[in-house]
């Protein structure tokens, strides 16, 4: 029976609830939704959508690295935006992180429990062992 490894990187934001930042199951890495949390303070860092997207994707990048993967290994992202009008600006920053290695993606507008937060992103990566 295959085991599931839970990943808790020391240089990433601590979970704000009863979940693992990532779980590795076989060759897949499932990264929980990340937001614009500054790992140095473990506090949300509000700003414009570009700032929040950059910080959110940097947090995803750190968690993937702890699991032995990179952004190039991401096969699927879900992007949650507080305001659908932020789509183009979020996309600019998103492109910086993925370049031509574009994963499949779903983007939706949602209401967050924290009404000041603008973005949350989760992903699934494939990293053969």
């Amino acid at each position: 029976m295959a085991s599931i490894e839970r990943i808790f990187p020391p240089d990433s934001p601590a979970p704000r609830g009863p979940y693992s930042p990532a779980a590795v199951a076989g060759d897949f890495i499932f990264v929980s939704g990340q937001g614009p949390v500054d790992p140095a303070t473990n506090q949300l860092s509000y700003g414009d959508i570009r700032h929040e997207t950059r910080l959110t994707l940097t947090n995803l990048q750190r968690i993937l690295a702890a699991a032995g993967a990179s952004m190039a290994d991401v096969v699927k992202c879900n992007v949650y935006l507080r305001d659908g009008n932020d789509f183009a600006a979020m996309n600019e920053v998103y492109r910086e992180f993925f370049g031509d290695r574009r994963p499949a993606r779903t983007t939706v507008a949602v209401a967050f429990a924290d009404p000041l937060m603008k973005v949350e992103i989760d992903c699934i990566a494939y990293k053969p062992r």
Side-chain angles (χ1 to χ4, degrees), residues 46-61:
Y46 305 112
D48 67 18
I49 190 64
R50 287 175 181 86
H51 164 79
E52 290 195 20
T53 301
R54 188 167 285 108
L55 186 51
T56 298
L57 288 170
T58 299
N59 289 336
L60 279 174
Q61 202 169 37

Side-chain angles (χ1 to χ4, degrees), residues 19-43:
Y19 62 88
S20 300
V24 178
D27 294 338
F28 288 93
I29 304 162
F30 300 85
V31 180
S32 295
Q34 298 298 305
V37 178
D38 181 340
T41 64
N42 207 38
Q43 299 297 315

